[in-house]
Amino acid sequence: MIQTTALTYSIQHKAILEPINLTVHPGELLVVLGPNGAGKSTLLKLLTGETTACGGDLSINSLPLQTLTAVQMAMLRAVMPQHSQVSFSYTALEVIALGMLSHQKNSRSYELMEEVMGLTETREFAYRQMEELSGGEKQRVHLARVLLQIWEDKPNPRYLFLDEPTSSMDIAQQHQVLKLVQKVKHKNIGVLAIVHDLNLAAQYADKVLLLNKGRALHYGPRLEVMTSQKLTEVFDHPISVINHPLYAQDIIITSETRVQQQEKQFKYASIKTA
């Protein structure tokens, strides 16, 4: 598992992330939620080794992060950032194939690539140039690339980090990706994803971390964390959690409270009569 103890990060003595304790277990989807500027992307960079923490401990499969080489890290975890730029004229297939660079010799790399492309539905535009693809298609290509990187079956757990993986996708594609993540978990892979859609998080997350202003306000199983009170506190906006009338899941509704609506109506009426 990935484990942090009192992990912190500061810039010029200003705390960006206050001490955070969390674990990412294989077979689990941990979703990080929070308003803009909460520290979500900073946390992701610390966990993936892109940025060095200012304090605390971070280990992957009981190994301190700082003791791992770049090659070892590539075999243990894959990262899909929010924006991935391709500066050269590559086809989608060539970008996906980059995921094979971390594979061991004599592996089934090409078979694995075919499997991943089928799961992400990227075969249909495999030979098109990346600049010709839509935003959602590009995201699926990069998802296929990072999945291929850790798709080999290995005894040691691997980890997948996703930063807003569905931001450019339509509703059907969003659910397709999150359902695919459910399959990923069964390959001894732990997943941490930054998500903005609260309903997607409510439907697919196993655990949730609520961040605000660099502080981990709530962390634990989804049903315990994603409550009306806690979400309203973190996002500073009225949020209601209700039961779906047809399915065994919650619906997240963001709206003004009745008191706020009455206050607005009163102010509007006062202006009209003035």
Side-chain angles (χ1 to χ4, degrees):
M1 67 180 178
I2 293 177
Q3 184 171 22
T4 75
T5 305
L7 198 69
T8 62
Y9 185 70
S10 303
I11 296 178
Q12 295 181 348
H13 305 294
K14 179 182 178 181
I16 305 300
L17 279 180
E18 298 188 15
I20 290 182
N21 303 308
L22 63 81
T23 56
V24 182
H25 294 276
E28 170 185 282
L29 170 59
L30 169 61
V31 169
V32 182
L33 298 172
N36 291 338
K40 303 184 296 295
S41 294
T42 299
L43 175 62
L44 186 72
K45 291 177 181 178
L46 294 178
L47 295 176
T48 59
E50 182 179 343
T51 300
T52 302
C54 295
D57 297 311
L58 169 58
S59 62
I60 299 182
N61 296 347
S62 300
L63 300 172
L65 180 70
Q66 64 270 20
T67 67
L68 299 174
T69 66
V71 173
Q72 290 173 318
M73 288 289 289
M75 297 175 68
L76 283 175
R77 62 97 180 98
V79 186
M80 180 178 167
Q82 185 178 356
H83 302 290
S84 299
Q85 299 294 331
V86 177
S87 301
F88 300 96
S89 185
Y90 288 141
T91 64
L93 181 64
E94 289 171 326
V95 172
I96 294 171
L98 293 173
M100 295 191 293
L101 294 177
S102 65
H103 289 190
Q104 297 176 346
K105 293 181 179 180
N106 301 319
S107 70
R108 300 183 299 113
S109 294
Y110 288 98
E111 293 178 32
L112 297 174
M113 184 166 66
E114 281 293 320
E115 183 178 342
V116 165
M117 290 176 67
L119 290 170
T120 54
E121 296 185 5
T122 49
R123 287 178 181 147
E124 59 186 89
F125 47 81
Y127 294 98
R128 289 173 58 190
Q129 301 294 318
M130 286 293 290
E131 59 265 26
E132 298 174 359
L133 304 181
S134 68
E137 289 171 337
K138 289 177 182 177
Q139 279 190 299
R140 284 156 59 192
V141 168
H142 288 296
L143 178 61
R145 172 180 56 80
V146 296
L147 286 178
L148 181 58
Q149 182 180 335
I150 55 172
W151 206 246
E152 286 182 294
D153 290 319
K154 296 179 181 179
N156 293 328
R158 287 95 65 213
Y159 304 92
L160 177 64
F161 294 91
L162 305 171
D163 190 353
E164 298 185 40
T166 60
S167 59
S168 298
M169 297 181 179
D170 59 35
I171 294 175
Q173 291 173 344
Q174 290 175 1
H175 285 278
Q176 176 193 2
V177 168
L178 271 299
K179 288 177 181 177
L180 176 55
V181 168
Q182 302 298 316
K183 297 180 181 179
V184 169
K185 296 190 306 182
H186 297 301
K187 289 180 68 70
N188 201 23
I189 294 173
V191 185
L192 182 144
I194 296 174
V195 176
H196 272 297
D197 190 315
L198 299 181
N199 279 294
L200 285 177
Q203 187 167 345
Y204 293 100
D206 297 305
K207 288 185 179 178
V208 173
L209 170 65
L210 294 181
L211 276 180
N212 193 10
K213 297 179 180 178
R215 296 175 56 215
L217 297 184
H218 302 286
Y219 168 64
R222 171 180 51 82
L223 292 177
E224 295 180 10
V225 173
M226 296 193 71
T227 66
S228 299
Q229 180 180 355
K230 292 175 180 177
L231 290 172
T232 297
E233 171 196 356
V234 170
F235 287 94
D236 192 27
H237 185 84
I239 295 176
S240 299
V241 181
I242 63 175
N243 294 325
H244 196 287
L246 299 177
Y247 304 105
Q249 64 188 57
D250 291 331
I251 302 175
I252 312 298
I253 299 176
T254 58
S255 61
E256 295 176 325
T257 64
R258 183 173 298 176
V259 172
Q260 289 173 314
Q261 292 174 346
Q262 289 174 343
E263 287 177 348
K264 280 192 172 182
Q265 290 172 356
F266 176 77
K267 290 179 181 177
Y268 179 70
S270 299
I271 293 172
K272 288 185 68 176
T273 57

